[in-house]
Amino acid sequence: MDLGVTEKVKPLIEAVRKLMAEKIVHLSEEYEGEIGNNPQNNRFVLNDRQKEILDELKSEAKKRGLWNFWLTDSEAGYGLTTVEYAYLAEEMGKAPLGAETFNCSAPDTGNMEVLERYGTQAHKDRWLKPLLDGEIRSAYVMTEPGVASSDAVQLSFEAKKDGDEWVLNGEKWWISGAGDPRCQVYIVLAQTDPEAAKHGRHTMFVMDADTPGVEILRPMQVFGNDDAPHGHMHMKFTDVRLPADAVILGEGRGFEVAQGRLGPGRIHHCMRAIGQAERALELMCKRGLSREAFGKKIASLGANFDIIANARMEIEMARLLCLKAAYMMDTVGVKEAQPWISQIKVVAPLMATKVVDEAMQMHGGEGISQDQPLARMYTNLRTLRFADGPDAVHRRQVARAELRKYTNEKI
């Protein structure tokens, strides 16, 4: 099992790291500072400077040939393995605009994967090409307020046939990216046959974001933060009409599409989480060596040596598990790799949240303020423990896989 840096990806890692250091980290901070600074005082409107920053970063990435790394095992990408991509995603995770600069950000990567793998040629021409070019953004519309969405067969947002059209009604929430003014396409999971077998009740649709009948009710807040301009929106669909060709893959095949999408997406999040933990540890060490209290460097006080050492060891362990999961995806496929994907989905955000928490503690009051990136990182990482399935669901999958080794009974 080779989990090391290959000769193919080594120069790409260096190139990504260089652009992160030269431009992305400090421009990300400037971009964040400009949120809401527009005549409308609207946090979900981009001002001219924010647009300039995004254009500058994306143009530079394209000019350096650093674009769409996430397209593993695809003629349209670099032909990287998932293991190779893991090293790049870790670097991108170190700044808020890191992934978007290289057109590797969620939820677009998963949505592009759906369109590339399951979409019709018309879908690809209309939405996939501008997404691959980084000209527009997208949202994945799945989670609902009225049910435990961790058990997705319960999702009841409905789509009913009316002649040659589908009519959608219901509410969805935590729709990441729907607040972004550049979001022009939704991929929507809807129940189309409540009497069918449980994994055949739902259908996936693709639609324009400005389709009549779609209303954004509010941005959902995480610890009081609206995550503008990206946002996680609560939305209402009232008699939204879609043509028959809006169906992706086929009626009743929504879960098939969803599983194809969520496998890679889950591990991409984990890779970026490890990058955030690395940055938090770097900030922790620099703070510990630059500040004094009670006549000593902060790093030397209390249990801070142990805290720093444990952070390094836990990052290394999580990285190895992430690479193992990536290797399994490359060698046995997403379905067979699910136990490893579930393991890292639990381990990575837990580890990274702990490291960030310790970094905040070492920074004192500044650590939870807007003067450091740590509070935002903590919020994102804590949210990640729900984003692609709660920890309890992933632990359940790991336990079931383990128990099946010892029984033929249904677990």
Side-chain angles (χ1 to χ4, degrees):
M1 186 190 308
D2 188 355
L3 304 180
V5 175
T6 64
E7 290 303 313
K8 180 178 182 178
V9 80
K10 185 176 181 180
L12 294 177
I13 295 171
E14 294 303 318
V16 167
R17 191 174 288 157
K18 183 178 180 184
L19 185 53
M20 291 286 295
E22 288 177 354
K23 289 179 175 286
I24 298 172
V25 172
H26 73 270
L27 285 178
S28 285
E29 293 171 357
E30 183 181 351
Y31 180 91
E32 296 287 309
E34 290 289 329
I35 293 174
N37 183 17
N38 52 65
Q40 303 94 322
N41 292 317
N42 186 337
R43 290 171 55 80
F44 293 93
V45 171
L46 300 182
N47 65 23
D48 289 342
R49 180 53 186 153
Q50 287 175 301
K51 294 175 184 176
E52 288 173 0
I53 289 171
L54 290 169
D55 288 345
E56 177 182 346
L57 291 178
K58 290 184 176 184
S59 296
E60 189 64 28
K62 287 181 178 178
K63 185 172 75 174
R64 299 188 190 190
L66 308 173
W67 194 253
N68 284 334
F69 295 124
W70 64 274
L71 276 165
T72 52
D73 192 28
S74 170
E75 294 180 0
Y78 284 75
L80 300 175
T81 66
T82 313
V83 171
E84 289 171 323
Y85 179 72
Y87 287 99
L88 299 174
E90 180 178 330
E91 296 300 322
M92 296 177 213
K94 296 177 181 178
L97 293 181
E100 184 173 355
T101 295
F102 305 99
N103 210 39
C104 293
S105 52
D108 297 333
T109 52
N111 291 338
M112 286 188 278
E113 188 133 15
V114 166
L115 293 170
E116 188 200 31
R117 187 182 300 182
Y118 305 114
T120 65
Q121 190 58 49
H123 296 159
K124 294 175 183 179
D125 292 342
R126 185 168 184 181
W127 291 294
L128 180 58
K129 187 179 185 304
L131 281 169
L132 287 171
D133 290 340
E135 297 171 356
I136 64 173
R137 298 295 307 271
S138 64
Y140 184 57
V141 185
M142 182 173 177
T143 309
E144 297 176 17
V147 298
S149 299
S150 55
D151 182 5
V153 297
Q154 298 184 97
L155 295 173
S156 58
F157 176 100
E158 69 173 17
K160 290 186 175 180
K161 275 185 178 176
D162 183 17
D164 293 333
E165 294 182 316
W166 289 91
V167 182
L168 279 58
N169 281 284
E171 293 187 16
K172 296 280 191 178
W173 70 350
W174 295 109
I175 309 307
S176 300
D180 195 310
R182 297 165 297 156
C183 180
Q184 293 187 24
V185 56
Y186 299 151
I187 291 181
V188 184
L189 184 71
Q191 186 185 83
T192 50
D193 185 359
E195 303 303 319
K198 66 179 183 178
H199 290 111
R201 297 172 189 168
H202 296 79
T203 300
M204 203 74 79
F205 297 87
V206 61
M207 59 178 286
D208 280 309
D210 62 357
T211 302
V214 178
E215 178 186 4
I216 294 179
L217 300 178
R218 57 177 177 160
M220 301 300 297
Q221 296 187 358
V222 183
F223 298 136
N225 188 335
D226 60 11
D227 201 19
H230 187 68
H232 311 284
M233 314 309 277
H234 184 181
M235 305 168 65
K236 184 176 182 179
F237 289 63
T238 304
D239 294 332
V240 174
R241 289 186 169 270
L242 300 180
D245 62 8
V247 171
I248 298 176
L249 191 60
E251 185 177 342
R253 301 181 72 179
F255 273 87
E256 184 179 345
V257 177
Q259 286 305 310
R261 180 189 188 279
L262 288 174
R266 286 186 182 119
I267 200 166
H268 293 176
H269 281 308
C270 297
M271 297 163 181
R272 290 189 290 267
I274 292 166
Q276 291 181 70
E278 281 284 6
R279 188 174 182 208
L281 178 56
E282 176 188 347
L283 292 171
M284 191 193 314
C285 291
K286 289 179 176 177
R287 180 74 169 197
L289 293 171
S290 64
R291 287 291 182 101
E292 291 188 3
F294 309 106
K296 291 184 177 181
K297 300 286 187 185
I298 290 176
S300 299
L301 294 175
N304 286 342
F305 267 33
D306 286 348
I307 288 168
I308 291 168
N310 286 337
R312 166 50 60 207
M313 291 184 285
E314 289 168 14
I315 289 171
E316 295 298 331
M317 288 188 288
R319 179 184 290 114
L320 285 172
L321 180 57
C322 188
L323 292 169
K324 170 69 178 290
Y327 172 84
M328 296 303 292
M329 290 172 64
D330 287 334
T331 55
V332 301
V334 171
K335 184 177 181 180
E336 294 299 321
Q338 283 302 330
W340 285 271
I341 294 173
S342 291
Q343 288 175 50
I344 192 57
K345 179 64 180 72
V346 174
V347 168
L350 271 174
M351 174 279 297
T353 302
K354 181 180 177 182
V355 173
V356 171
D357 183 78
E358 295 289 9
M360 289 192 293
Q361 195 69 20
M362 205 171 295
H363 279 77
E366 184 180 331
I368 57 173
S369 77
Q370 69 270 36
D371 291 346
Q372 291 290 337
L374 296 166
R376 178 187 174 96
M377 290 163 66
Y378 184 92
T379 299
N380 289 341
L381 289 164
R382 186 60 186 84
T383 305
L384 187 54
R385 293 180 60 197
F386 300 103
D388 283 319
D391 288 359
V393 171
H394 292 294
R395 286 194 178 99
R396 179 172 181 263
Q397 293 300 103
V398 174
R400 289 174 71 189
E402 201 66 21
L403 289 166
R404 286 193 196 105
K405 299 175 184 177
Y406 305 100
T407 182
N408 292 321
E409 296 179 14
K410 185 175 181 181
I411 302 296

